[in-house]
Amino acid sequence: MQLSDNWRPSASLELLQQRAALLRQLREFFWQRQVLEVDTPLLSRYGVTDVHLSNLQTEIAVLPNQPFYLQTSPEYAMKRLLAAYGCSIYQLGKVFRDDEVGPRHNPEFTMLEWYRVGFTMAELIAEVVELLLLVLGERMVVQQTYQELFQRYLAVDPLAASVSQLQRTLSDCPEVADLAEREDDRDTLLQLAMACVIEPRLNVDAITIVTHFPSSQAALAEIAADDSRVALRFEVYAGGIELANGYQELTQAAEQTQRFASDNQLRLQLGRPQAAADTRLLQALAAGFPNCAGVALGFDRLLMIQSKKANIQSVLPFDLSCA
């Protein structure tokens, strides 16, 4: 990306007005449901262990030997609030990811994240759909499992296929054939298939909900009680864009500790630096975490769909090039 010294904003005044109206609409949605708005720190002593996410790092002059991390999500801090007070909460705020820059990606963006105490994954999905229909207008809603999507579009079972089977399947897909041939990590192959082969084939005019991801991709979600192969995790797509990622939240501190350790083991295998696990989150889970479901939704992407814009720069007051 070429940086610019142009002082002018990225978005038009009309888009900024639409942005403000959407912020107000979302806050009203949660106000009517008595979901408390919270505001958590952007800086933390801990980043994430997830090998697919990277924190931006900084230092504070008065604490020269202590790195701080700009948060990729308010999740950990919000879960500490959930453990302390046990009420449904939401947050609308900035997050940061040391990631690619492109039509759907900016390192700094706005995230809507909320947690509903006592909700199941199915109940939270229903609320997500209700919000999206309110913002985007009436449209078809399609819900399928991760397994059903792979069987439909690639004729392979993602819960049973071996690495070699996935490589053979993807060798027939020009979008990822070269990458798949060199890749021997099963989850990376599944993610390549999902992002590059399946997602582009989803109905752009529909809201698509994908549920029950493989347990190896559970992240911070519970494993399904009736099928240990899958996690109670879902993703939402609209307008051809991945819009939201949600979980029936994991409540067990011991299991979360093990997942952090597994993340760091994978980091070692990939030659990446290990990341310290956030011990405050683990303490919060151990203190007694409420049964709940939570979801993170990209606000800027939602505004892209609502305004029919093709790139995220059009809906940001200032994108990275002129920040």
Side-chain angles (χ1 to χ4, degrees):
M1 166 178 280
Q2 185 174 356
L3 299 181
S4 170
D5 289 328
N6 186 354
W7 65 270
R8 299 200 64 85
S10 309
S12 66
L13 176 59
E14 180 184 15
L15 251 297
L16 294 181
Q17 291 168 336
Q18 189 170 347
R19 187 180 179 94
L22 180 55
L23 287 167
R24 179 177 178 179
Q25 184 179 32
L26 294 176
R27 287 191 162 97
E28 180 63 24
F29 180 88
F30 290 107
W31 176 264
Q32 291 178 0
R33 288 157 181 78
Q34 298 182 316
V35 180
L36 178 67
E37 182 172 9
V38 297
D39 185 17
T40 61
L42 290 176
L43 280 177
S44 173
R45 299 200 312 272
Y46 295 93
V48 292
T49 59
D50 189 329
V51 72
H52 301 292
L53 294 176
S54 297
N55 293 90
L56 289 166
Q57 183 176 331
T58 189
E59 291 185 356
I60 296 175
V62 295
L63 296 167
N65 299 317
Q66 173 62 61
F68 280 79
Y69 301 91
L70 290 167
Q71 295 302 285
T72 61
S73 159
E75 180 170 10
Y76 292 0
M78 291 182 77
K79 285 184 172 178
R80 291 163 64 187
L81 291 174
L82 284 164
Y85 303 118
C87 61
S88 296
I89 56 177
Y90 82 95
Q91 181 162 327
L92 259 169
K94 298 293 186 182
V95 294
F96 298 83
R97 295 187 181 180
D98 192 4
D99 203 348
E100 65 180 291
V101 178
R104 301 176 184 177
H105 298 87
N106 196 69
E108 177 185 350
F109 60 99
T110 300
M111 179 178 283
L112 167 63
E113 187 156 334
W114 76 96
Y115 295 86
R116 296 293 251 132
V117 173
F119 270 40
T120 63
M121 180 176 74
E123 289 171 323
L124 183 59
I125 288 171
E127 186 167 74
V128 172
V129 169
E130 185 179 359
L131 184 148
L132 293 180
L133 292 177
L134 176 69
V135 170
L136 302 176
E138 287 300 319
R139 57 184 64 200
M140 182 189 307
V141 178
V142 178
Q143 183 167 321
Q144 292 182 290
T145 68
Y146 188 94
Q147 183 183 40
E148 288 169 343
L149 279 181
F150 272 76
Q151 290 172 330
R152 175 180 177 184
Y153 290 108
L154 288 170
V156 67
D157 184 352
L159 305 181
S162 66
V163 167
S164 60
Q165 285 176 305
L166 291 171
Q167 288 173 328
R168 285 196 300 273
T169 298
L170 295 177
S171 68
D172 294 328
C173 304
E175 311 97 312
V176 294
D178 290 343
L179 287 172
E181 184 180 5
R182 300 191 301 269
E183 182 58 61
D184 59 5
D185 179 71
R186 190 172 182 279
D187 277 311
T188 302
L189 287 167
L190 289 174
Q191 289 163 359
L192 275 174
M194 186 69 182
C196 300
V197 181
I198 295 175
E199 287 179 20
R201 290 167 169 76
L202 299 179
N203 185 344
V204 297
D205 296 320
I207 295 168
T208 301
I209 316 292
V210 182
T211 67
H212 296 87
F213 279 64
S215 58
S216 57
Q217 298 177 31
L220 284 82
E222 285 189 350
I223 302 301
D226 59 347
D227 187 349
S228 61
R229 299 176 303 165
V230 298
L232 298 180
R233 174 186 170 189
F234 68 94
E235 289 192 351
V236 182
Y237 299 83
I241 298 176
E242 179 190 339
L243 194 55
N245 183 31
Y247 311 137
Q248 180 79 39
E249 300 293 343
L250 180 66
T251 61
Q252 296 85 30
E255 173 62 22
Q256 188 59 68
T257 300
Q258 179 56 49
R259 292 190 193 178
F260 282 155
S262 296
D263 285 347
N264 271 319
Q265 185 60 40
L266 182 56
R267 281 177 170 271
L268 279 177
Q269 293 171 11
L270 296 174
R272 300 181 185 179
Q274 290 191 301
D278 191 333
T279 57
R280 288 90 50 90
L281 172 63
L282 298 174
Q283 292 172 32
L285 293 176
F289 192 75
N291 291 322
C292 64
V295 63
L297 185 151
F299 171 84
D300 307 295
R301 289 185 177 185
L302 180 61
L303 182 55
M304 281 174 61
I305 300 167
Q306 186 193 58
S307 62
K308 298 181 172 61
K309 296 297 181 183
N311 63 73
I312 198 168
Q313 288 75 26
S314 300
V315 302
L316 297 173
F318 295 96
D319 66 22
L320 182 64
S321 70
C322 57

